[in-house]
Amino acid sequence: MVIKTANFVKSSGKWQDCPEPTLPEYAFIGRSNVGKSSLINAMMNHKDLAKTSQTPGKTQLINHFLVNENWYLTDLPGYGYAKVSKSIRKDFEKLITNYILNRRNLVNLFVLVDIRHNPQKIDLEFIQWCGESGVPFSIVFTKSDKIKPGAVVTNVEAYKMELHKTWEDLPELYVTSAEKKEGCEEILDFIEKTNDFLTLNHVTFDE
Ligand code: GTP
Ligand code: MG
């Protein structure tokens, strides 16, 4: 997909404040610092459309970007950020889960996972919750430039094995690097195909 325009629309503190749900929407979620904002920038070919930081917890609101005037890309706050109080963490969780469960134009959630680590409990629990809640999602491995290609393959396989303990069918998996702009085209192709499918089938998001 060619990105002609990508514009920041608004930041929202709750799902009710998000833009009118008239266009297909794709959201990025994952642990704090996993690289959500960086990957959005890489995909959009834009240095700082979404704000990034070395300090976890940078994105604290739901951020909407309008792409090619016909679909939304959404940057969500990270989950599992340890350095805030339990009650604030709960507030974030509520913000995220309410958004996911209520946003009726949300077509697919991209769950980002750092490729460098063994499968982490918090990610597996979140993926489990998506599956049980019937949320359509894909898994996106991030920061592949930080380990050797062989280790990328090994870690992806280990992740698949872990998921197979619970699920027979696995979601789509993408390996990416925001640094090297790897995997961006594959994700954009998926979005383009999905948008075409929705148009062809006259899908709208009315209540
Ligand atoms: P929160 O908004 O805090 O939840 O974080 P986030 O998931 O949006 O992460 P962000 O994109 O801000 O990136 C966190 C850090 O990881 C930054 O220092 C990025 O430069 C770095 N980073 C992100 N993606 C990559 C990547 O693909 N490769 C490398 N080497 N570094 C990356
Ligand atoms: Mg962010």
Side-chain angles (χ1 to χ4, degrees), residues 45-90:
N45 246 319
H46 202 299
K47 271 230 283 284
D48 53 7
L49 187 66
K51 301 286 168 254
T52 65
S53 166
Q54 290 181 355
T55 327
K58 175 71 185 171
T59 310
Q60 305 203 339
L61 297 164
I62 302 167
N63 292 299
H64 277 82
F65 303 95
L66 178 63
V67 188
N68 291 348
E69 307 284 332
N70 71 353
W71 58 278
Y72 285 120
L73 185 54
T74 308
D75 192 11
L76 295 171
Y79 54 71
Y81 177 38
K83 285 197 185 135
V84 292
S85 71
K86 225 179 181 167
S87 78
I88 292 182
R89 216 154 62 205
K90 277 258 168 295

Side-chain angles (χ1 to χ4, degrees), residues 86-100:
K86 225 179 181 167
S87 78
I88 292 182
R89 216 154 62 205
K90 277 258 168 295
D91 286 347
F92 272 133
E93 269 167 35
K94 237 168 83 189
L95 168 71
I96 293 167
T97 51
N98 280 336
Y99 161 83
I100 295 170

Side-chain angles (χ1 to χ4, degrees), residues 32-38 53-54 57-59 143 145-146 178:
S32 201
N33 215 41
V34 70
K36 300 174 290 294
S37 303
S38 302
S53 166
Q54 290 181 355
K58 175 71 185 171
T59 310
K143 307 193 185 184
D145 59 285
K146 289 211 177 205

Side-chain angles (χ1 to χ4, degrees), residues 29 79 100-101 109 111 123-138 167:
I29 184 93
Y79 54 71
I100 295 170
L101 296 176
L109 190 63
V111 182
D123 294 319
L124 294 170
E125 280 176 359
F126 183 77
I127 289 167
Q128 183 77 20
W129 176 82
C130 287
E132 284 167 1
S133 310
V135 177
F137 70 98
S138 316
W167 311 99

Side-chain angles (χ1 to χ4, degrees), residues 5 22 82-83 90 116 174-175 195 197 204:
T5 57
T22 48
K83 285 197 185 135
K90 277 258 168 295
R116 293 174 295 171
Y174 299 91
V175 175
N195 285 342
F197 175 86
T204 56

